[in-house]
Amino acid sequence: MPLVDIEVIEGVFDDAQKARMIEKVTNAMVEVEGEGMRGVTWVRVKEVRSGQWGIGGKTPSAADIRAMAGS
């Protein structure tokens, strides 16, 4: 029974986007492992608060990430 964790920055993705991530990752796993595993394929989206992660030595905010994405 596979378990896939996706970590995202809190406040960047809305619920609909997170649902699409779950659907698409589930579909990708089922493509590899077979349709019979769909019902037991877990996908969790975990949000990490701003200031609790960094890249390149900096701790960007959710607004910084949204700006980079052009949202």
Side-chain angles (χ1 to χ4, degrees), residues 7 9-10 47-55 58-61:
E7 293 194 37
I9 296 96
E10 183 178 55
E47 292 189 307
V48 179
R49 287 186 296 133
S50 292
Q52 300 299 307
W53 67 280
I55 185 168
K58 303 199 184 292
T59 55
S61 68

Side-chain angles (χ1 to χ4, degrees), residues 30-44:
V30 167
E31 186 176 315
V32 171
E33 63 194 4
E35 187 62 41
M37 295 296 285
R38 182 177 298 277
V40 294
T41 298
W42 291 48
V43 180
R44 300 185 299 187

